[in-house]
């Protein structure tokens, strides 16, 4: 009788043997075909792929004055597979002037895949960056004794002047997030962190090159593989020409010493930003080299927040500068007629027990003198009648939304689109906002403060300067931008396209006349000293403490070349700081220099500091 158990055992043994063969076949396939571990090992033995970094594009001002350039620096790179067990650690540490603990910490950080996700023991990894010429020369003499360590020539940024830090930005080592976002980068690379260094990173950085070097069995470099046939030369980064006028920027920063706030100037017929001052600021040269992290931490801890670019991040009540937008809206909507003098101002707006104060002046007024004297009553009446015009709009909500549309068309309530990171949008309320936030029915009296740039309305200094440029252009603006030209590229059409507001052209003529009247005999009368026809509007923005001093203006009145906004926190009346500083900026840019009297005046305001106490801002 046949023993079937023997047959079954034969099948089991055969199946196990086949399974073993299959497993080994799969493993061999993975090792030789799908896995590149052996390929990397073989390649690392035969080749050394050496990255060549491009020079970063330089940055100049609108007149060709060099602002940012490059200087050579040296990084120490390590191939862990070559350095293992073959290094005299003591001598190596002495050559680089570091301790044994520092050495161990750096080596552990390199191997930590959480901190260094691109780690491979076969490729060059950053050990130490940004050695000076002096430190490099000491190390280079002994480098042949340190197998697995190489020198990578790099460049670091240098900033010519102690100014424009918020515009220029800085460069630092990439973060894991940067590497994950863009595979161009690897650990140890540098990237723009702030300012134009960040927003124009791809143009400035260029493209890396690579040398493929051939090595012998002992790891010694024998020369270029196939005479450099497969090498790639680095492509330098593109140079930037800023719209910033370095001399004007320097004057603005000097005038804002000891003050918190901003000065922004724009060329109306292009949207180019001529100066962008945020105070307090810092020296961009602090953010260079291995001490950048320490300097950055120090600035972060500063209670006056010097890292904050108040020109585009500060969201302030625009105060009476906002009255120009109200006049434009009320005229365009037929709420007011520019020669109408029907609205009284008895030291303010007084109606149904509500009082909004105003300084003494003649009353009633038409639009031009209302702007010249900065009459609160006139513009409060205008808003009250617009929000209450139910026969025209159907409801207060609809009227409010129409008002909002005018403000948005003039550049408020949303980011303008400046080519710098971090721009804030400010606040322009609509009808739904008030329906959600005010219990019961609301009307023009409920929101009356927005007519004079208070209440819920906030704007950045950039937006206020852009309003001035829009009025100078009589109804249109270009998106403000700080880069005038990128080498070899056309300027993005975002910055060359006109944006028209909803207000009528005729309305702008009256507002310009009001701003000119303000300069010749109103709240901006100091502008009358200038040798050209300047236009202006003051603002005194209410604050929990001392009021903010605000000014916006442009010059000349016809064919304007500059529009400017000044915002000084706790500076008091608009005429106290805003107008004097704005007039000096206008004079400097249009005339190219300040008169002797103006130079003395600039010195006075440079040394006039405002006491802010010790409260964190």
């Amino acid at each position: 009788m046949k023993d079937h158990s023997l047959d079954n055992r034969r099948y089991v043994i055969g199946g196990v043997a086949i399974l073993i063969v299959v497993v080994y076949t799969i493993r061999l396939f993975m090792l030789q075909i799908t896995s590149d571990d052996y390929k990397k090992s073989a390649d690392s033995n035969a080749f050394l792929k050496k990255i060549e970094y491009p020079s970063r594009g330089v940055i100049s001002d609108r007149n060709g004055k060099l602002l940012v350039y490059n200087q050579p620096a040296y990084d120490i790179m390590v191939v862990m597979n070559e350095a293992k067990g073959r290094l005299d650690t003591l001598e190596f540490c002495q050559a680089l002037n570091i301790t044994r603990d520092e050495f161990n910490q750096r080596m552990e950080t390199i191997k930590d895949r959480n901190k260094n996700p691109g780690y491979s023991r076969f490729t060059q990894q950053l050990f130490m960056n940004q050695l000076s010429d002096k430190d490099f020369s000491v190390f280079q003499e002994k480098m042949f004794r340190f197998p697995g360590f190489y020198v990578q020539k790099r460049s670091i940024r240098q900033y010519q002047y102690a100014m424009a830090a918020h515009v220029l930005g800085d460069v630092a080592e990439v973060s894991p997030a940067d590497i994950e976002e863009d595979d161009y980068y690897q650990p140890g690379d540098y990237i723009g962190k702030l300012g134009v260094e960040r927003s124009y990173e791809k143009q400035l950085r260029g493209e890396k090159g690579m040398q493929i070097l051939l090595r012998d069995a002992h790891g010694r470099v024998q020369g270029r593989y196939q005479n450099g046939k497969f090498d790639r030369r680095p492509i330098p980064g593109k140079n930037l020409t800023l719209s910033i006028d370095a001399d004007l920027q320097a004057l603005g920063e000097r005038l804002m010493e000891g003050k918190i706030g901003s000065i922004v100037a724009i060329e109306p017929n292009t949207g180019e930003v001529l100066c962008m001052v945020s105070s307090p600021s810092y020296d961009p040269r602090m953010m260079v080299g291995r001490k950048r992290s320490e300097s950055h931490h120090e600035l972060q801890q500063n209670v006056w927040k010097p890292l904050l670019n108040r020109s585009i991040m500060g969201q302030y009540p625009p105060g009476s500068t906002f009255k120009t937008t109200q006049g434009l809206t009320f005229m365009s909507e037929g709420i007011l007629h520019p020669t109408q003098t029907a609205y009284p101002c008895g030291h303010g707006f007084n109606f149904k027990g509500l009082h909004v104060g105003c300084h003494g002046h003649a009353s009633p007024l038409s639009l031009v003198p209302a702007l010249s004297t900065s009459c609160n009553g006139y513009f409060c009446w205008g808003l009250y009648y617009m929000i209450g015009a139910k026969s025209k709009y159907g409801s207060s909500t609809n009227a409010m939304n129409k008002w909002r549309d005018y403000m948005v068309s003039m550049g408020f309530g949303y980011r303008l689109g400046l080519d710098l990171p971090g721009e804030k949008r400010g606040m322009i309320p609509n009808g739904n906002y008030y329906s959600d936030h005010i219990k019961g029915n609301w009307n023009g009296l409920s929101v009356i403060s927005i007519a004079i740039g208070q209440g819920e309305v906030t704007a950045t200094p950039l937006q206020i300067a852009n309003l001035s440029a829009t009025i100078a252009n009589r109804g249109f603006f270009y998106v403000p931008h700080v880069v005038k030209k990128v080498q070899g590229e056309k300027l993005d059409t975002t910055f060359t396209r006109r944006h028209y507001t909803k207000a009528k052209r005729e309305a702008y003529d009256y507002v310009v006349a009001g701003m000119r009247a303000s300069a010749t005999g109103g709240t901006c009368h100091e502008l009358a000293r200038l040798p050209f026809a300047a236009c202006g509007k003051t603002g005194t923005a209410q604050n929990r403490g001392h009021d903010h001093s605000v000014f916006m203006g442009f010059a000349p009145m016809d064919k304007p070349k500059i529009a400017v906004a000044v915002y000084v926190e706790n500076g008091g009346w608009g005429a106290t700081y805003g107008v004097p500083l704005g007039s000096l900026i206008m004079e400097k840019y249009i005339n190219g220099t300040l008169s002797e009297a103006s130079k003395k005046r600039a010195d006075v305001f440079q040394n006039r500091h405002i006491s802010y106490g010790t409260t964190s801002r």
Side-chain angles (χ1 to χ4, degrees):
M1 185 175 179
K2 187 176 181 179
D3 188 352
H4 292 285
S5 63
L6 294 175
D7 289 341
N8 293 337
R9 192 179 304 166
R10 185 169 62 250
Y11 293 142
V12 170
I13 295 172
V16 170
I18 292 171
L19 179 63
I20 292 172
V21 171
V22 170
V23 169
Y24 271 97
T25 302
I26 292 173
R27 179 58 179 160
L28 286 170
F29 177 81
M30 292 178 63
L31 288 174
Q32 297 182 29
I33 306 300
T34 62
S35 173
D36 61 354
D37 284 350
Y38 285 100
K39 182 177 184 300
K40 284 182 178 179
S41 180
D43 283 352
S44 67
N45 288 332
F47 303 117
L48 174 63
K49 295 180 179 179
K50 184 177 181 182
I51 293 175
E52 289 190 304
Y53 288 91
S55 59
R56 196 169 175 88
V58 302
I59 304 175
S60 305
D61 86 333
R62 66 185 298 111
N63 300 311
K65 185 172 289 187
L66 187 63
L67 301 178
V68 186
Y69 59 99
N70 303 303
Q71 278 197 339
Y74 303 90
D75 293 348
I76 304 300
M77 311 297 292
V78 59
V79 178
M80 302 294 278
N81 201 51
E82 298 176 19
K84 186 177 180 181
R86 302 169 57 195
L87 182 68
D88 184 334
T89 307
L90 178 61
E91 185 177 15
F92 179 85
C93 291
Q94 289 175 343
L96 286 177
N97 195 27
I98 61 174
T99 65
R100 179 65 181 266
D101 287 341
E102 287 178 292
F103 172 85
N104 291 335
Q105 184 179 1
R106 289 175 184 272
M107 296 296 272
E108 289 303 316
T109 299
I110 290 172
K111 291 184 285 187
D112 186 339
R113 292 186 182 274
N114 291 322
K115 297 179 180 179
N116 184 16
Y119 171 70
S120 168
R121 68 180 187 274
F122 301 116
T123 60
Q124 290 190 3
Q125 306 292 314
L126 178 66
F127 178 83
M128 181 181 287
N129 65 351
Q130 298 184 5
L131 265 68
S132 66
D133 286 333
K134 180 180 178 182
D135 292 337
F136 166 67
S137 62
V138 172
F139 180 78
Q140 188 182 34
E141 291 178 1
K142 301 180 179 180
M143 194 171 69
F144 70 95
R145 299 181 184 177
F146 310 133
F149 285 85
Y150 302 88
V151 170
Q152 175 71 66
K153 186 175 181 180
R154 299 286 291 267
S155 62
I156 57 174
R157 294 304 244 179
Q158 291 293 327
Y159 299 87
Q160 186 79 359
Y161 305 103
M163 67 176 186
H166 296 100
V167 175
L168 297 173
D170 66 291
V171 173
E173 192 172 336
V174 291
S175 66
D178 294 324
I179 297 170
E180 184 176 346
E181 185 177 329
D182 189 340
D183 59 10
Y184 172 87
Y185 301 103
Q186 62 184 34
D189 284 356
Y190 301 112
I191 191 173
K193 291 292 184 180
L194 296 169
V196 294
E197 294 277 21
R198 181 70 179 188
S199 52
Y200 287 85
E201 164 66 14
K202 289 188 177 179
Q203 289 90 341
L204 286 166
R205 73 188 185 189
E207 292 293 333
K208 298 173 187 172
M210 180 179 289
Q211 284 186 20
I212 303 177
L213 304 177
L214 191 62
R215 301 196 286 195
D216 62 18
H218 300 285
R220 293 172 298 200
V221 174
Q222 300 300 303
R224 293 190 176 185
Y225 175 61
Q226 292 195 13
N227 295 320
K229 179 180 178 180
F230 298 101
D231 291 354
R232 292 197 318 268
R233 294 180 62 84
I235 301 173
K238 296 178 179 179
N239 300 332
L240 298 185
T241 300
L242 301 188
S243 60
I244 298 294
D245 183 312
D247 293 337
L248 194 68
Q249 180 77 21
L251 173 63
E253 295 197 13
R254 190 159 67 89
L255 294 174
M256 287 298 292
E257 286 184 15
K259 309 166 190 69
I260 295 176
S262 171
I263 298 176
V264 179
I266 296 173
E267 186 178 67
N269 63 354
T270 62
E272 294 173 1
V273 177
L274 301 172
C275 75
M276 179 174 284
V277 176
S278 178
S279 181
S281 186
Y282 59 95
D283 186 342
R285 293 172 293 191
M286 292 174 61
M287 308 295 272
V288 173
R290 279 184 277 169
K291 291 189 176 182
R292 181 196 179 273
S293 295
E294 181 182 331
S295 298
H296 190 268
H297 179 74
E298 179 184 326
L299 292 170
Q300 278 186 317
Q301 299 305 308
N302 190 314
V303 297
W304 305 111
K305 300 180 181 178
L307 287 173
L308 179 69
N309 185 352
R310 289 170 168 82
S311 298
I312 62 174
M313 297 176 179
Q315 299 174 91
Y316 301 103
S320 293
T321 61
F322 204 60
K323 291 172 182 174
T324 56
T325 68
Q326 305 308 287
L328 291 164
T329 301
F330 303 152
M331 276 192 291
S332 299
E333 283 295 294
I335 304 299
L336 297 176
H337 189 278
T339 59
Q340 184 179 6
T341 57
Y343 304 137
C345 182
H347 286 276
F349 174 81
N350 301 283
F351 189 63
K352 293 186 177 182
L354 179 65
H355 173 70
V356 179
C358 188
H359 57 278
H361 56 74
S363 175
L365 297 172
S366 61
L367 177 63
V368 170
L371 284 171
S372 173
T373 60
S374 197
C375 172
N376 283 343
Y378 182 90
F379 297 98
C380 287
W381 280 113
L383 183 74
Y384 174 74
Y385 281 111
M386 181 172 179
I387 301 302
K390 291 186 179 180
S391 61
K392 183 178 179 68
Y393 302 111
S395 68
S396 295
T397 296
N398 290 341
M400 192 74 223
N401 288 341
K402 174 65 73 172
W403 177 90
R404 183 274 319 272
D405 291 344
Y406 272 87
M407 300 306 106
V408 170
S409 77
M410 296 178 197
F412 293 97
Y414 293 90
R415 298 180 184 90
L416 285 166
L418 178 79
D419 53 345
L420 286 179
E423 182 188 359
K424 301 298 183 182
R425 60 182 290 176
M427 171 64 174
I428 295 294
N430 58 20
N432 295 331
Y433 174 88
Y434 288 116
S435 297
D436 292 341
H437 288 79
I438 297 178
K439 293 181 180 179
N441 295 326
W442 59 274
N443 56 34
L445 295 179
S446 310
V447 301
I448 202 70
S449 59
I450 65 175
I452 56 174
Q454 298 286 164
E456 293 74 27
V457 170
T458 61
T460 64
L462 176 70
Q463 290 172 330
I464 299 172
N466 187 67
L467 171 63
S468 184
T470 305
I471 297 171
N473 288 333
R474 277 63 167 179
F476 67 88
F477 66 89
Y478 297 94
V479 172
H481 48 285
V482 298
V483 170
K484 182 181 178 73
K485 181 181 178 182
V486 179
Q487 181 185 12
E489 292 185 11
K490 288 185 177 180
L491 196 65
D492 194 308
T493 55
T494 300
F495 306 120
T496 59
R497 185 170 61 250
R498 288 185 177 185
H499 296 262
Y500 287 89
T501 76
K502 293 177 67 67
K504 294 179 179 178
R505 175 65 168 78
E506 180 187 11
Y508 279 99
D509 291 335
Y510 280 100
V511 168
V512 169
M515 293 177 69
R516 178 58 185 156
S518 180
T520 55
T523 57
C524 296
H525 58 85
E526 186 173 322
L527 296 180
R529 70 176 185 83
L530 296 172
F532 43 80
C535 301
K537 181 72 194 77
T538 54
T540 304
Q542 293 179 2
N543 181 45
R544 292 173 190 166
H546 205 38
D547 292 343
H548 301 319
S549 178
V550 195
F551 165 78
M552 74 169 191
F554 61 90
M557 182 173 72
D558 299 317
K559 298 182 180 179
K561 296 179 179 178
I562 184 173
V564 62
V566 179
Y567 209 107
V568 179
E569 292 187 27
N570 306 143
W573 297 103
T576 304
Y577 282 99
V579 179
L581 302 192
S583 70
L584 290 167
I585 293 293
M586 289 179 178
E587 180 183 351
K588 170 67 176 175
Y589 185 70
I590 291 178
N591 288 351
T593 186
L594 295 176
S595 67
E596 290 303 316
S598 293
K599 288 178 182 178
K600 293 178 181 178
R601 193 163 180 74
D603 291 339
V604 169
F605 278 97
Q606 178 183 357
N607 296 312
R608 186 181 292 177
H609 295 184
I610 298 174
S611 176
Y612 293 97
T614 57
T615 303
S616 176
R617 304 195 63 81

